[in-house]
Amino acid sequence: MQNISVLITGIGGQGIILASDVLADAAMRTGWDVKKTDSIGMAQRGGSVISHVRMGDVVSSPLIPTGGADVLFGMEKLEAARHCHFLKPGGQAVINSYGAPPLTVATGAKKYPEDEAILSVVRERAGKVFFIDGLKKVSKLGNTRALNVFLLGALSVLLPLTEQVWQEALEAKLPSKIIQINLQAFSLGREEVKNAGIR
Amino acid sequence: MQDIQKISAGSKHLLSGNEAIALGAYHAGMKVATAYPGTPSTEILENIARFEGVYAEWSTNEKVALEIAMGASYTGVRCLCSMKHVGLNVAADSLLSASITGVNGGLVVVSADDPGMHSSQNEQDNRHYARLAKIPVIEPYDSQSAYDFMFLAFDISEKYDTPVLLRTTTRISHSKSLVCIKGLSEVGARRASFTPNPEKYVMLPAFARKRHEVIENRILELREYAQNTPLNQVLKGTGSMGIIANGIAFQYAKEVFPDAAVLRLGMTYPLSEQLVREFADSVEKLIAIEELDPFIEEMVRGMGIEVSGKDFIPITGELSPEIVASSAKKAGLLEDVESEEPACRAELPLRPPSLCPGCPHRGLFYALGKTPRRIKKVTSAPTKPTAGGLVITGDIGCYTLGAYKPLNGLDTCACMGASIGHALGMEKAGVTDKLVAVIGDSTFMHSGLTALANAVYNQSQITIVILDNMTTAMTGHQGHPATGISAGGKKTQAVNLENAVRGIGVDEVVVLDAFDIKALREAVARATESDKLSVIIVRGECAPLRARSFACRVVDTSVCTRCNTCFKLACPAIQYKDGNVYIDPELCAGDNCGLCDQVCPVGAIGVFDEAVKE
Ligand SMILES: Cc1ncc(C[n+]2csc(CCOP(=O)(O)OP(=O)(O)O)c2C)c(N)n1
């Protein structure tokens, strides 16, 4: 098989590392080679976080080169746009419509780009973009903490991993207390992309 | 954090490089582990501290950590000492001493280098320390090798009576890949016991001269070992090109040149000339692909073997598959790669790191910025020397972020502990500015105490501010001697900061609440106009460690004059929304902070009833 590369972007506190751990674990359970690498930088909180996940028969570099990602998985829309050059031309993007203003925007020095501006940046690379209001969808479950797993569910539709391995990976990585709500969030996320509004 | 100690032999797991180092060391029989936190090394000791049957500690600094590991090694048990690259500068004296005495139980020193400076002040290549100290350096290239190499590192250390440097990098330490677990080796059962041997352990000149001969012979023997060690591997290829590579650069080389023959070096010092020469003879063109310095390349060239590398591969920064590919293309080594746009062309607002909402460091910087001397210093043109201003020398930690606008709170930052020395140097050179050194609590314990003694002894008049957030925040909240919390999370005796400072001989010592702006401003005003050496301890617990307060602040827009004073705090929670000042309730630290209501000149910020949630 051809290797598959997924780039996950967002900001600190969104559960990105957990999301990429679950994805890598699911790939391992499929019997593939897998590598992942996280860039957290200096920020404890609120800073940009990127995780590269690569899987296939043999994976060498854990870092995805520019233009090497099959899927861009963005949990914050500005960070998704910032890293879309990693996407292969014609690749797919799953982007959460949530926007967290960086300090430069909050103080009024810079403007947070409009959705259309963000999407046009992403569309320069992406063939398909799923732009999802994850927070709204997941709040139906009464707990927005499962947002990252909801979005993983959305991502899962684009990857050749079985529902079985996803479930096992979630069970392995999440505390048993919150597993039920997360499994529900995961299914909701899957539905979302299956019935999707592609933008 | 997963409990990796419970992983059973024969199973396969996704582990980070740091987890693999920790588990490999444990399975190789490590009994003592010491470290001072520092990215990207921190998780090694964090994992070991959870292992049963191993003594693990956060030491005061890297030098102390290494000396403890040396002492333990002298008793015959296996020891690991880990640190970030710049930590080895602090421990360099000890490393060179450990080289000359040699070991008893295996001693492995882990240096986690940070090419690209993801979170460091430089990107020095610590392989040079191996050559300087005449000890072997081992470099893993993924998590499996990090795990496997630990066993070999301890064996080599004992067999050749030498400390071993295990050098990892951010990309190795912080990447996860699959690891097959071997399980616990037999070594574990050793008991510590020390047999005096002054000719080995007491480095008087007469003994050290003999030991120098010993270590010169040792490196010759290791050079021979390098020829056949499983650490080094030749991977056959089809083309005419041969690549020598180490660490993560090996992975990039494989990805970019899948068909080339590769000499993968897991031990990059000392090199076996025969091994390199045989490989070079088997290929037409030899290139070296390594991150940072041309460490391997220059040794190969020194053997009289033709090799290229840094003439096309960057010497600065972290490598990546695309940097290797584009460099190779420029050098004519690769043809059909498309050139990629390096980054997104759209201009997007940046997301620089900032102090957290509720950070106890913020108030001090605000207070310093409000003193007339500071205003004078920062507003006058930098080309004109000012007299009578306020210079703030800084140190390393979360508070270094206070250097950014609008806080403008630091004028220097170099290495840990330097703030006090910098201020003393400026004072002794004769500047007419008042000097304030700002240093974190962990950094003060690490290397501020000796500098403070210097200030007392050499009759200084500077002010030292210790920002005591009761943790080592920057690296992810580790304990240090003044916290009284051990690496394993147990309560221990805490060093009392104020007593320590007084004990060294400082008379003017105050302890302030980090969130009391009035008290901070008064103390700063007093100190900056006094000619006595003084210490201000600013105490407040690190924001992410405190229980959430829901008494979020709200702006009464009918009162707010949009004077922007609150923005001078650089709090991420304070924003503009629809033309009004707005405080994001998701971010606001509420009663844990309250700085903004204290600085608002018109009283527009407060806790209003409807904002008080459960
Ligand atoms: C010699 C050395 N060791 C370790 C580090 C990594 N490091 C950077 S800042 C810091 C400690 C910060 O703690 P503290 O001074 O208490 O400040 P805080 O981050 O808590 O504000 C450490 C360990 C370093 N830069 N240099």
Side-chain angles (χ1 to χ4, degrees):
Chain A
M1 71 176 276
Q2 278 263 315
N3 283 358
I4 300 171
S5 299
V6 179
L7 188 83
I8 309 182
T9 66
I11 59 170
Q14 285 196 300
I16 290 177
I17 308 301
L18 177 75
S20 80
D21 276 344
V22 171
L23 169 58
D25 197 81
M28 178 182 79
R29 284 167 199 278
T30 306
W32 293 339
D33 189 15
V34 54
K35 285 186 180 164
K36 62 155 272 186
T37 186
D38 307 322
S39 291
I40 308 171
M42 252 188 48
Q44 283 273 337
R45 277 223 229 154
S48 160
V49 178
I50 316 168
S51 186
H52 301 236
V53 185
R54 311 189 82 187
M55 53 201 118
D57 295 333
V58 180
V59 179
S60 294
S61 163
L63 272 181
I64 303 171
T66 300
D70 300 274
V71 183
L72 171 68
F73 179 46
M75 312 235 302
E76 198 276 349
K77 57 191 174 185
L78 175 60
E79 294 310 312
R82 198 192 308 286
H83 297 101
C84 67
H85 58 284
F86 278 100
L87 206 52
K88 277 183 190 159
Q92 310 191 76
V94 176
I95 298 173
N96 184 22
S97 68
Y98 169 72
L103 205 55
T104 45
V105 170
T107 56
K110 289 269 157 49
K111 245 183 91 3
Y112 195 96
E114 299 294 329
D115 282 0
E116 277 316 312
I118 286 178
L119 285 168
S120 80
V121 169
V122 178
R123 277 203 212 98
E124 267 183 46
R125 303 291 299 208
K128 266 191 208 164
V129 182
F130 299 90
F131 193 62
I132 302 170
D133 188 346
L135 210 54
K136 192 166 131 203
K137 299 275 148 102
V138 87
S139 55
K140 278 192 222 152
L141 297 174
N143 187 344
T144 53
R145 284 285 184 81
L147 174 65
N148 56 349
V149 174
F150 167 87
L151 292 165
L152 265 183
L155 170 75
S156 71
V157 180
L158 310 181
L159 299 173
L161 294 158
T162 63
E163 266 186 83
Q164 172 75 23
V165 293
W166 278 109
Q167 181 164 346
E168 285 172 19
L170 285 166
E171 280 165 0
K173 294 287 163 198
L174 290 167
S176 53
K177 271 201 307 214
I178 55 166
I179 187 70
Q180 271 320 318
I181 186 151
N182 277 285
L183 289 175
Q184 282 170 9
F186 187 82
S187 309
L188 263 185
R190 276 184 81 83
E191 291 309 310
E192 185 64 27
V193 164
K194 280 192 183 153
N195 318 327
I198 297 173
R199 283 185 73 172
Chain B
M1 210 187 277
Q2 61 173 329
D3 192 353
I4 59 174
Q5 190 181 28
K6 303 228 166 67
I7 291 178
S8 50
S11 63
K12 205 177 187 184
H13 280 263
L14 252 177
L15 297 181
S16 72
N18 281 348
E19 287 170 334
I21 289 169
L23 193 61
Y26 171 64
H27 285 166
M30 159 195 61
K31 278 286 167 287
V32 171
T34 59
Y36 181 74
T39 317
S41 71
T42 312
E43 300 82 6
I44 298 171
L45 194 101
E46 279 181 335
N47 276 286
I48 296 172
R50 295 153 48 97
F51 294 171
E52 270 166 44
V54 179
Y55 173 78
E57 70 164 43
W58 291 123
S59 309
T60 312
N61 64 31
E62 293 86 352
K63 175 172 156 61
V64 175
L66 183 46
E67 285 152 4
I68 294 166
M70 284 165 73
S73 153
Y74 292 166
T75 72
V77 302
R78 290 189 159 185
C79 313
L80 188 80
C81 178
S82 54
M83 59 194 72
K84 76 183 276 153
H85 60 328
V86 287
L88 200 51
N89 300 333
V90 177
D93 200 9
S94 322
L95 181 74
L96 274 89
S97 304
S99 167
I100 199 153
T101 65
V103 304
N104 182 6
L107 171 60
V108 178
V109 179
V110 179
S111 166
D113 292 11
D114 190 16
M117 293 177 270
H118 294 272
S119 41
S120 303
Q121 67 267 41
N122 79 11
E123 52 179 353
Q124 66 186 53
D125 186 332
N126 272 4
R127 294 177 295 175
H128 295 294
Y129 271 116
R131 193 143 58 161
L132 179 67
K134 307 188 180 200
I135 60 174
V137 57
I138 291 180
E139 300 192 68
Y141 53 91
D142 61 8
S143 299
Q144 180 74 60
S145 59
Y147 176 80
D148 293 341
F149 287 4
M150 281 320 297
F151 293 81
L152 287 166
F154 279 111
D155 290 347
I156 293 169
S157 174
E158 285 171 3
K159 174 151 183 230
Y160 294 91
D161 189 9
T162 178
V164 170
L165 186 63
L166 188 117
R167 182 217 188 212
T168 151
T169 59
T170 304
R171 201 54 68 191
I172 296 293
S173 284
H174 286 178
S175 294
K176 285 190 176 177
S177 58
L178 296 172
V179 181
C180 286
I181 306 298
K182 288 185 191 149
L184 209 53
S185 72
E186 299 293 296
V187 230
R190 288 187 199 161
R191 296 274 295 278
S193 94
F194 179 69
T195 312
N197 183 354
E199 296 192 6
K200 177 169 161 60
Y201 296 128
V202 182
M203 283 305 99
L204 284 163
F207 297 151
R209 278 183 210 115
K210 290 203 188 105
R211 289 294 304 173
H212 188 185
E213 312 247 329
V214 173
I215 72 174
E216 292 300 337
N217 281 329
R218 181 176 77 195
I219 209 76
L220 292 179
E221 286 167 21
L222 280 160
R223 210 177 281 287
E224 232 163 84
Y225 169 77
Q227 194 186 328
N228 291 315
T229 170
L231 292 163
N232 301 330
Q233 293 287 335
V234 173
L235 312 176
K236 296 242 174 331
T238 51
S240 58
M241 192 164 62
I243 299 172
I244 305 187
N246 66 309
I248 195 70
F250 159 74
Q251 305 290 359
Y252 304 152
K254 274 305 278 179
E255 180 141 333
V256 176
F257 299 102
D259 302 325
V262 181
L263 170 57
R264 183 180 63 211
L265 293 177
M267 184 161 110
T268 48
Y269 186 80
L271 277 192
S272 152
E273 181 166 340
Q274 195 178 334
L275 177 72
V276 175
R277 197 169 286 286
E278 277 171 14
F279 181 72
D281 287 345
S282 74
V283 296
E284 276 168 39
K285 183 169 176 52
L286 186 66
I287 62 173
I289 301 183
E290 53 193 320
E291 253 172 356
L292 298 177
D293 293 347
F295 183 77
I296 301 170
E297 185 182 336
E298 284 177 353
M299 284 190 292
V300 171
R301 197 166 292 129
M303 296 168 182
I305 296 169
E306 205 181 309
V307 58
S308 61
K310 289 296 161 181
D311 46 334
F312 64 98
I313 290 178
I315 196 166
T316 57
E318 187 182 22
L319 296 181
S320 66
E322 79 229 54
I323 291 174
V324 171
S326 63
S327 312
K329 196 183 166 195
K330 274 190 214 123
L333 298 168
L334 258 190
E335 275 157 20
D336 52 348
V337 283
E338 293 165 36
S339 37
E340 280 289 349
E341 281 293 328
C344 179
R345 275 168 297 142
E347 215 189 288
L348 300 171
L350 296 174
R351 200 182 290 277
S354 58
L355 297 174
C356 299
C359 175
H361 301 333
R362 181 172 280 114
L364 184 265
F365 286 118
Y366 180 84
L368 285 170
K370 279 287 174 189
T371 59
R373 281 167 173 269
R374 186 66 184 167
I375 293 169
K376 181 177 171 188
K377 191 83 193 170
V378 291
T379 49
S380 64
T383 43
K384 256 193 284 160
T386 43
L390 171 61
V391 175
I392 308 168
T393 57
D395 231 298
I396 304 199
C398 286
Y399 50 94
T400 314
L401 295 171
Y404 285 126
K405 275 189 240 174
L407 293 171
N408 290 322
L410 294 182
D411 298 315
T412 70
C413 166
C415 54
M416 285 189 76
S419 59
I420 299 175
H422 284 175
L424 294 177
M426 290 187 193
E427 174 185 53
K428 301 305 178 195
V431 298
T432 53
D433 300 307
K434 173 69 193 183
L435 292 149
V436 173
V438 174
I439 185 167
D441 51 342
S442 185
T443 305
F444 181 73
M445 293 309 307
H446 176 281
S447 46
L449 278 166
T450 46
L452 179 65
N454 191 86
V456 170
Y457 168 51
N458 289 306
Q459 298 188 298
S460 170
Q461 302 177 355
I462 65 167
T463 295
I464 296 159
V465 179
I466 303 175
L467 287 170
D468 182 10
N469 60 352
M470 302 181 237
T471 188
T472 315
M474 177 102 245
T475 44
H477 303 118
Q478 294 76 27
H480 61 71
T483 63
I485 306 291
S486 76
K490 301 227 159 64
K491 234 176 136 61
T492 68
Q493 168 139 17
V495 171
N496 181 300
L497 276 181
E498 32 293 36
N499 289 350
V501 168
R502 286 206 181 89
I504 285 176
V506 183
D507 297 327
E508 306 274 318
V509 184
V510 287
V511 181
L512 300 177
D513 173 356
F515 299 98
D516 185 344
I517 291 275
K518 185 158 170 277
L520 288 169
R521 289 189 62 172
E522 283 168 7
V524 166
R526 225 180 303 121
T528 50
E529 298 313 326
S530 145
D531 55 7
K532 271 191 154 160
L533 175 68
S534 60
V535 171
I536 302 174
I537 299 174
V538 176
R539 186 162 290 150
E541 198 179 5
C542 181
L545 295 183
R546 301 181 73 178
R548 179 107 200 247
S549 153
F550 289 98
C552 301
R553 295 318 194 242
V554 176
V555 180
D556 184 340
T557 48
S558 65
V559 179
C560 173
T561 61
R562 292 168 199 75
C563 68
N564 288 352
T565 305
C566 54
F567 281 99
K568 298 254 158 44
L569 290 168
C571 175
I574 304 176
Q575 307 175 358
Y576 257 106
K577 196 173 171 185
D578 309 325
N580 286 319
V581 180
Y582 160 79
I583 297 175
D584 185 341
E586 287 294 318
L587 296 177
C588 180
D591 282 345
N592 287 343
C593 173
L595 291 181
C596 54
D597 31 296
Q598 294 173 57
V599 307
C600 179
V602 294
I605 303 177
V607 189
F608 298 109
D609 283 347
E610 60 275 7
V612 184
K613 288 186 258 169
E614 236 313 273

